[in-house]
Each structure stands twice: as structure tokens, then as C-alpha cells.
Amino acid sequence: MLRLVSKRILGAVSRDLPPPAVLPRFYHERVVDHYNNPRNVGSFDKNDPTVGTGLVGAPACGDVMKLQIKVDEKTGKIVDARFKTFGCGSAIASSSVATEWVKGKQMEEVLSIKNTEIAKHLSLPPVKLHCSMLAEDAIKAAVKDYEAKRAKSTASQEETSGEKAATA
Amino acid sequence: MTSKLFASNLRQQLAKSTHLFRRQLLSTAAAAVPEPQHHEDSTGITMKGVKISGRPLYLDVQATSPVDPRVLDAMLPYYLSRFGNPHSRTHLYGWESDSAVEDARAQVASLIGASPKEIVFTSGATESNNISIKGVMHFYKDKKRHVITTQTEHKCVLDSCRHLQQEGFDVTYLPVGTDGIIDLEKLRAAIRPDTGLVSVMAVNNEIGVVQPVEEIGKICKEFNVPFHTDAAQALGKIPIDVEKWNVSLMSLSGHKIYGPKGVGALYLRRRPRIRVEPQMNGGGQERGIRSGTVPTPLVVGMGAACELAKKEMEYDEKRISALQERLLNGIREKLDGVVVNGSMERRYAGNLNLSFAYVEGESLLMGLKEVAVSSGSACTSASLEPSYVLRALGVDEDMAHTSIRFGIGRFTTEAEIDRAIDLTVRQVEKLREMSPLYEMVKEGINIKEIQWAQH
């Protein structure tokens, strides 16, 4: 009788226990995966007019993220993305995820990517939430940089065409 | 004699089995080189979301060390047949236990040049530090209201001091130089007529620098101030002489010297006598300073560990120095931007605290899961703050984020060091390839001049 009861209790307990692979207070397997096989590591030429670069964070805080997007000028679609990150495993994973998510999307669309989505995807613990915030900031900074570059180039184009008209 | 034979046998067995395991680790890891992913098919260990191909090689002896098989050998009888309470005065069980405790006391005392009567067994260095700091100040509280310590002490010393501050005592935290050593003139200047204690650790736990204890002792003698030193990381590693050092109190730990966890000792000088207020009240064991039954097996283990340390300190020191050199040279040969934190000259060789520029420490540790190292001390890995010890040294914050402590001990082998070099170099190179800072530096941008947006 006792054995039966204890068996049942033990069985119930062991069924309730979470599998050892997903211990809550450590890296989620997606973080480990992105850390071991980061997607889209590298750099584009930051002077390329079709490239937007976002550099956020600070070395003193232990996180620096550089995220670059390559944009199709006609359609405004992000055709490719690259990142380089100095930071913990969660920061590397967050930026890796960010580059994956922005690829193939319209620029306006990626601005709506929220840090909470990245954090949820990677199951980041509260102490690591700033990593996902940094990734969101990096995306925004990259888009802003691209738009600033574009505005500048169209302005200079207009200027040159204006000059041409004046001389003619 | 038989026990010695048994011990040597055990040691050989252990060496064999670790050798076997190491070969296994090497082979699996070598196979993993082209494909660094470990997946379900391997018989690896999965823990905390991290999968590894075998038990990691251990380079964290500052955190704790394994029990030497010879120590365990000495301890076992006191768990099984000789289990008596050393304070039982009425039967053989008590007598033999008591005699074993006294033998251990003599062994500990002999390693530090003290009299056995000056040794009090405690639960560890944390307790010894608490008794020393709070006990001394509470006992002399009418006349003495001031404590001097350093910014790089162990957390338990700093926390005890903070506790005293809350009770209205004054505490001076001496700064350290970039090498981690305190300035003796600053110490001299900080001493006041009401200074009741100077507490400076002998060997730092994070960076391994050795403070000029003898000189500090001299200054304390000159001003007639009791001197306490936390020697948990120094015991059995550097020669200790309580007379030479002129210490009044000293904290010692068992598990840092290949002894068991849960035992430590406090040296309390008899001439001139230093008195403390007990932190634990009870049956008046250990001369009333630390009540509670003395754990005979643990104490016997600590005694045996001290005796071994006394015999083998010189040999260990030679081996460990050679291994440290091998590790540092091996890493420096292949990587630039490697900085040793803390003085290289005044350092215990078993501790090598390195910063790898442009690489963040936590991600490096995550990649070094086959090497058990830590990023300084166990406390700092949980928070995002860089180590307070490195900050006290004036290490740049970005470099303080990148530190790794390699601990080399009695059982570390050359093969382990070579493997650690290999893995570290590979991981640092991988992370630098991924680091925007490294890229900028290669482009000739000075990172320090960039206006970073602080988060």
C-alpha cells in the first residue's frame, strides 16, 4: 500500500518536473543556438549609399551592437543584413535574431519590431532584457542612418540638377 | 604505512581514470573541430541549456579544490568507526575523537608557525572573518571605533565592515594601485588613535596578488593595532609565519587546500592576547569562541590537508609556476590584446586573471564551456556589473567586462593547460571576428574617443 502510494507520488512528481534541458534561469536553447551559429555575422561597406548602419551601446556597459541593412533603393525592401556584437551570449543572440527578422521586410515594417518580441523568442530573463532593447535600437538606428544618407544624396542630386538648370 | 600504500594506490587509480576521461574528452572534442555543434546523438552532458561532450577540465581552484585522496583517506575512519563527539569526556569514542581534533589543530598550527592553542576551528574562512572583524570590534567597542580594510577584500570582509558601519563604527577602505597592492604610506596615514583593527587579505581571491603582509604587520606593531589577514587563498600556497607577519588574527579555509568544504580555522594570538566576542553562543566549545560540536572528520581532513601542503608546497609551487608560464605564453603567442590583471611580480602563480580586449567576458565563458573557469568571482557572474576588484585597480570598464580567472592547482596537468589555451584562443578569435570594437580598432578608430550613448 505504502509502496503504491509512494510510487504514485514519486511518479507524479517526476512527471511534474521540467526536463533538465530547459532549466529556467539559464540560456534558452535558441540563445545557445544563435551563439554557436550566429546568422549574418559580418560587415557591409558603411559608405555604400544602399547600406544603413546602426551602432548602439557602449563598451563600458559591456554591450556594443552594430547592425547593418542593405536596402533595395527602388522598393525600399531590406535585401540583406549583417551584424557584429560585443556582448554577452544574449546580446549576440538578440542581434542575430534581429538580422534574420529584418531580412526581406520593408523598412517601415521593421520599425515595428519590438524588443519584447525578441525577448520572448529567446526567453530572455529580466536581467538580459536590455540586450533585446539594444537590438531594437540597432534596427531603428540602421534605418535612420539609411534614410539620412538617402535624404542627403537626393538633396545633393537636386542641387546638382538645379545648378545644371541655372547654367543652362 | 598501510594507509599510505592505500593512498598511493588510490592516487594512481584516480590518475588513471582521469587520464582515460581526458583522452575521451580530447577525442570527442577533436572530432568536433570541423563541426562545433554537439547534438543529441553524442552522449554529452546537458545542463542549464548548455550541452558539453564531457566533464569540463577544471581551472577554478580559487573557487574550491577537490579533496586530495590522501586527505579523504585520513577522514573516512572518523565518519565510520570513530564517530565520537570530541567533547564527550566519558568514553573512548570521545577521547579518540578529541585526540584526532588536537592532532589536526597541531597540523594546522605547524603550517603557519603558530601554537596549537592559538587555533580555533570554524565552519570556514567566512566565519573566521566575521569573528575577527565583528568579534574584535564588539569586544573593544568602548575605546576602538575605527576599522581599516581595503577595497579589494573578499565580500565577507566588506560585508562585515558594512555591518559595523551600520552600528556606528567608522571604516576606511584603502584604495589599491593599478597592480592591486595597497600603498603602505596610505595605511600609515589612515591609522587613528581609535583604530581597533587593520584587515588586509594576504592573497587576493580574484587577481591573486600578494599584499606586503610583513610590512603591514610592522606598521600595525608600531601603532599597536591588531592586524587581521584573510589567508584563505594563501594557506598552503605561500609560506606563512604568524610571527614574521605579526598578525593577531588570521582566517583559514579547508576547501581551498584540497581539504573538505565546511571547515576552516581562525588563528587567535595569545601573546599579546587578542580577544573577540563570540558570534555563536552555546556549549562553549573551542574556548567559548566558537560553540557547536567540532566536526571531527572535517577537522581531521583540514589537518591532513595542511600537513600535505607543508610537505608539498615547494613542489606544487614549482609545477604551478611552470604551468602558469605555459598558459600565459601559449595564449600570448597566438593572441594580442591580452592583459594580466594585477601585479605579475607580486602574485601567487596559481591565479592568472586575464582580460581579452574587444571580447566580452560572459560570452567568452559561454563559449568556454569545456573549461571550468570564472569571470573573477562567483558573485560577479550573476550581476551585470564588472568586478569591484578590477574597478578598484582602475581597469577600464570595458576591459573589466572581459576578465577571466584561470586557476591552476595541484592536480592540473600540462595537457589540460594546452587544451585550455587551444579552446581560449579559438573562442577569442571567433568572438573578435564578431566584435564591432575589434573591427574599428583594425580600421584605426580610437574607441576611447567615440562618444558612446550610455544605456
Side-chain angles (χ1 to χ4, degrees), chain B residues 293-305:
Chain B
T293 301
V294 171
T296 318
L298 300 182
V299 162
V300 166
M302 179 159 181

Side-chain angles (χ1 to χ4, degrees), chain A residues 35 41-43 83-87 92, chain B residues 331-332 334-339 354-360 363-364 399 402 424-442:
Chain A
Y35 173 81
V41 176
S43 294
F83 85 92
K84 281 202 173 190
T85 292
F86 162 87
I92 290 172
Chain B
I331 289 176
R332 280 225 165 120
K334 290 175 194 147
L335 293 175
D336 55 342
V338 180
V339 178
L354 300 178
S355 278
F356 298 90
Y358 326 120
V359 170
E360 202 265 348
S363 58
L364 184 52
M399 286 297 268
T402 69
T424 309
V425 168
R426 201 184 308 156
Q427 200 56 32
V428 170
E429 279 172 348
K430 179 188 163 189
L431 289 172
R432 279 190 178 166
E433 204 47 53
M434 221 188 275
S435 166
L437 303 177
Y438 192 57
E439 185 185 61
M440 287 177 190
V441 169
K442 275 201 293 188

Side-chain angles (χ1 to χ4, degrees), chain B residues 239-370:
Chain B
I240 298 179
D241 186 333
V242 291
E243 292 309 322
K244 244 194 212 163
W245 288 12
N246 187 44
V247 289
S248 304
L249 308 107
M250 182 155 66
S251 306
L252 308 169
S253 175
H255 73 109
K256 313 278 190 197
I257 55 163
Y258 313 96
K261 293 167 186 57
V263 67
L266 172 66
Y267 162 80
L268 260 181
R269 183 174 283 277
R270 279 163 71 88
R271 279 190 202 89
R273 190 173 180 205
I274 181 90
R275 304 188 65 182
V276 295
E277 186 193 271
Q279 306 291 303
M280 187 92 82
N281 302 104
Q285 288 91 344
E286 298 295 285
R287 287 185 288 126
I289 288 158
R290 207 280 187 177
S291 287
T293 301
V294 171
T296 318
L298 300 182
V299 162
V300 166
M302 179 159 181
C306 284
E307 192 172 321
L308 283 177
K310 195 177 179 185
K311 270 191 219 152
E312 301 188 351
M313 199 191 301
E314 223 175 293
Y315 174 79
D316 283 350
E317 168 69 24
K318 255 186 228 155
R319 266 196 77 238
I320 289 171
S321 302
L323 290 176
Q324 186 222 36
E325 218 182 292
R326 191 187 181 97
L327 179 61
L328 186 59
N329 292 343
I331 289 176
R332 280 225 165 120
E333 238 169 56
K334 290 175 194 147
L335 293 175
D336 55 342
V338 180
V339 178
V340 180
N341 293 310
S343 167
M344 201 55 204
E345 294 77 40
R346 302 193 59 111
R347 180 186 209 93
Y348 166 59
N351 178 317
L352 194 59
N353 189 314
L354 300 178
S355 278
F356 298 90
Y358 326 120
V359 170
E360 202 265 348
E362 199 184 322
S363 58
L364 184 52
L365 282 182
M366 193 174 163
L368 283 179
K369 42 190 185 281
E370 285 178 22

Side-chain angles (χ1 to χ4, degrees), chain B residues 20-33 53 419:
Chain B
L20 220 123
F21 141 71
R22 209 166 284 134
R23 214 175 333 161
Q24 196 181 1
L25 180 84
L26 273 173
S27 64
T28 43
V33 171
S53 53
R419 178 95 183 109

Side-chain angles (χ1 to χ4, degrees), chain A residues 20-23 25-29 31-38 41-43 46 55-66 68 83-90 92 127-128 130 133-134 137, chain B residues 36-37 46-51 356-369 382 384 386 397-399 401-402 427 430-437 439-440 443 445 447 450 452-455:
Chain A
V22 275
L23 274 171
R25 59 190 184 84
F26 224 73
Y27 297 115
H28 188 264
E29 53 189 82
V31 176
V32 177
D33 177 39
H34 277 280
Y35 173 81
N36 286 334
N37 313 294
V41 176
S43 294
K46 60 173 183 268
L55 182 67
V56 293
C61 306
D63 293 291
V64 177
M65 226 175 249
K66 189 187 82 170
Q68 294 183 305
F83 85 92
K84 281 202 173 190
T85 292
F86 162 87
C88 63
S90 306
I92 290 172
V127 287
K128 295 289 178 193
H130 70 280
M133 291 178 207
L134 217 53
D137 289 350
Chain B
Q37 276 171 277
T46 307
M47 203 172 174
K48 299 199 167 186
V50 174
K51 189 160 189 164
F356 298 90
Y358 326 120
V359 170
E360 202 265 348
E362 199 184 322
S363 58
L364 184 52
L365 282 182
M366 193 174 163
L368 283 179
K369 42 190 185 281
L384 302 168
E397 269 201 80
D398 53 328
M399 286 297 268
H401 271 290
T402 69
Q427 200 56 32
K430 179 188 163 189
L431 289 172
R432 279 190 178 166
E433 204 47 53
M434 221 188 275
S435 166
L437 303 177
E439 185 185 61
M440 287 177 190
E443 283 169 9
I445 300 168
I447 306 176
I450 296 178
W452 296 100
Q454 299 277 340
H455 269 260

Side-chain angles (χ1 to χ4, degrees), chain A residues 116-168:
Chain A
T116 44
E117 293 167 45
I118 297 172
K120 204 174 157 197
H121 181 75
L122 295 171
S123 300
L124 297 183
V127 287
K128 295 289 178 193
L129 285 182
H130 70 280
C131 298
S132 57
M133 291 178 207
L134 217 53
E136 185 191 319
D137 289 350
I139 297 174
K140 292 200 167 125
V143 171
K144 206 171 146 191
D145 180 60
Y146 172 75
E147 278 169 350
K149 261 187 196 171
R150 210 178 132 100
K152 216 174 172 185
S153 68
T154 47
S156 60
Q157 261 173 24
E158 271 168 23
E159 226 168 71
T160 45
S161 57
E163 269 169 31
K164 264 179 204 159
T167 47

